[in-house]
Amino acid sequence: MILLALETSCDETSAAVVSDGRVLSNVVSSQIELHAEYGGVVPELAAREHLKNLLPVAHAALAEAGISPAQLDAVAATQGPGLGIALLIGFKAAQAVAFALNKPFIGINHHEAHLYSPWIRNAEHPLGANSSAAETGRTDTRHSGLFADFTRFQPNISLIVSGGHTLLVLVESELKHRVLGGTIDDAAGECFDKTGKLMGLPYPAGPIIDKLAEQGNPAAYDFPRPLLNDLNDDFSFSGLKTSVRYFIRDHAALLDDRQKVCDLCASVQAAIVEVLVKKTIRAARRAGVRCITASGGVTCNSGLRNELARACKNNGFTLRLAEKNLCTDNAAMIGILAERKLLAGAPLLPLDEEIKPGWQLV
Ligand code: KG4
Ligand code: ZN
């Protein structure tokens, strides 16, 4: 089966070609710079940018894969959750392609797709990593595809942690999962971005805090670890953000001292990471699983990667972190899940089906 997948749920325009569990191409055009001056994603701008970039990105994905439209067996797109007018661009375009080629169409839940990204293994690009990035300004990578034996690691506990979402999911078996908990207010990535904004850092602040934290003392300032001791799998990050706000209000001069900013970054990161790691480990213990996975933009965070690795080692869990280029939104994970679903006989979607911006995983 050869499948084209499109992803436009937020601020990445992405297209991938997937075949038999292999990612033949995965082209991602990020809009980060466009939204930076507004301090966050502006839905109308995101949609316009998707509209502009989707066709070149899809053409590039087909060209990289060496596949012509006529060779496609199916088309997939993210149906939700996400920004409505952004989702609409990729979803309707994919339906149009399916209609024109008279091929099956399937809509994918973005979060369910994130569950697959830790199981996609990077391979050496035959032309070198990101070979076309210099010419096109896009990232473009090929992957060897799904681990053949990934079902051996089910059941597992999966942490999905991004700018919009923080979820703990029990993956019971292939295509069968249950959400154990999620954030009751801000997502972890949002907490990174908003506390960074309070420090005067540009959007998205997460990666910058990560870098500055490397030179800081994580024990310099003590911030709350919200819901850490609650025996549920929910998260809350808005109180932490508020406490950073008051701390900066009361210690404004600190922002003029680079070392103190590094200490502040390290301390904020330590608070976020401790909650994420301890609650994930606790959920895994309670569920009796042997494997933990993580994906989503915040999984790029070096503190989170290191602490999860250490905690998993100490507690005897196998850990699978998504490769950094697959932590953030991409169509490869959409295509991989779509293919698994089609092979399992999942129902096809009619071509007048609509997007589901609020589609939550349950
Ligand atoms: O998954 P993603 O690309 O988009 C969605 O939000 O769906 O995640 C973006 C989020 C942003 O909040 C960004 O600050 C955060 O991931 N992020 C990081 C790092 N890299 C990206 N947060 C902390 N440390 C990082 N290295
Ligand atoms: Zn995502």
Side-chain angles (χ1 to χ4, degrees):
M1 183 188 306
I2 305 176
L3 195 144
L4 173 69
L6 304 181
E7 150 68 38
T8 61
S9 65
C10 190
D11 59 345
E12 260 99 25
T13 314
S14 182
V17 179
V18 165
S19 176
D20 300 332
R22 289 172 61 84
V23 181
L24 303 184
S25 64
N26 177 42
V27 179
V28 183
S29 173
S30 173
Q31 306 175 2
I32 282 184
E33 279 165 27
L34 175 74
H35 299 286
E37 69 173 290
Y38 302 96
V41 178
V42 183
E44 289 79 4
L45 287 184
R48 258 184 254 161
E49 200 67 7
H50 287 313
L51 202 52
K52 195 169 83 192
N53 293 332
L54 186 60
L55 279 183
V57 163
H59 280 299
L62 287 166
E64 282 281 338
I67 295 293
S68 71
Q71 287 175 281
L72 294 172
D73 298 304
V75 185
T78 308
Q79 190 172 12
L83 302 172
I85 56 173
L87 282 168
L88 204 58
I89 309 295
F91 192 74
K92 290 292 158 191
Q95 284 178 324
V97 174
F99 176 74
L101 298 174
N102 195 23
K103 297 293 177 190
F105 172 71
I106 187 165
I108 292 297
N109 180 294
H110 180 88
H111 291 151
E112 190 178 3
H114 266 301
L115 299 175
Y116 278 76
S117 50
W119 301 105
I120 304 173
R121 180 177 35 182
N122 272 337
E124 276 301 303
H125 192 296
L127 306 172
N130 295 338
S131 62
S132 58
E135 300 140 46
T136 62
R138 303 182 203 109
T139 58
D140 187 349
T141 46
R142 291 184 185 195
H143 313 280
S144 68
L146 263 185
F147 278 81
D149 59 349
F150 78 104
T151 53
R152 190 161 67 80
F153 297 94
Q154 293 164 346
N156 61 58
I157 287 288
S158 191
L159 175 69
I160 303 175
V161 67
S162 73
H165 304 279
T166 306
L167 286 177
L168 268 179
V169 183
L170 170 63
V171 178
E172 293 168 337
S173 57
E174 171 92 79
L175 305 177
K176 189 159 180 273
H177 32 70
R178 188 153 50 89
V179 174
L180 302 178
T183 182
I184 57 172
D185 42 54
D186 292 355
E190 203 176 348
C191 186
F192 271 108
D193 295 339
K194 288 183 173 169
T195 53
K197 192 173 178 188
L198 295 169
M199 298 176 212
L201 301 176
Y203 172 87
I208 306 169
I209 291 183
D210 189 0
K211 266 265 153 291
L212 296 174
E214 280 171 19
Q215 298 155 48
N217 172 9
Y221 309 112
D222 189 21
F223 291 112
R225 272 69 170 153
L227 303 191
L228 180 60
N229 296 316
D230 283 34
L231 293 178
N232 55 38
D233 297 311
D234 287 332
F235 299 94
S236 163
F237 291 104
S238 79
L240 170 56
K241 175 189 67 189
T242 307
S243 114
V244 174
R245 178 190 297 277
Y246 289 142
F247 179 82
I248 291 176
R249 181 195 63 188
D250 298 340
H251 303 82
L254 175 153
L255 297 181
D256 299 327
D257 182 329
R258 190 176 191 281
Q259 184 53 50
K260 287 188 176 148
V261 172
C262 292
D263 290 344
L264 181 57
C265 288
S267 301
V268 170
Q269 180 170 300
I272 298 172
V273 166
E274 183 178 343
V275 177
L276 291 174
V277 171
K278 286 198 171 153
K279 295 205 83 158
T280 303
I281 296 284
R282 200 185 296 152
R285 277 218 204 100
R286 186 169 9 88
V289 305
R290 290 180 27 232
C291 176
I292 287 174
T293 77
S295 67
V298 177
T299 310
C300 291
N301 184 266
S302 49
L304 179 61
R305 294 180 89 84
N306 293 339
E307 288 304 313
L308 262 180
R310 190 158 55 163
C312 284
K313 188 158 179 257
N314 291 343
N315 289 277
F317 293 115
T318 301
L319 175 66
R320 283 245 35 110
L321 298 169
E323 305 274 356
K324 285 192 179 177
N325 64 326
L326 293 167
C327 283
T328 46
D329 293 343
N330 64 84
M333 65 182 190
I334 304 295
I336 285 285
L337 171 58
E339 190 180 45
R340 304 295 292 186
K341 286 197 154 228
L342 289 172
L343 292 173
L348 301 176
L349 278 193
L351 293 180
D352 58 356
E353 179 79 17
E354 297 300 337
I355 54 166
K356 296 182 185 170
W359 187 12
Q360 298 305 322
L361 214 55
V362 286

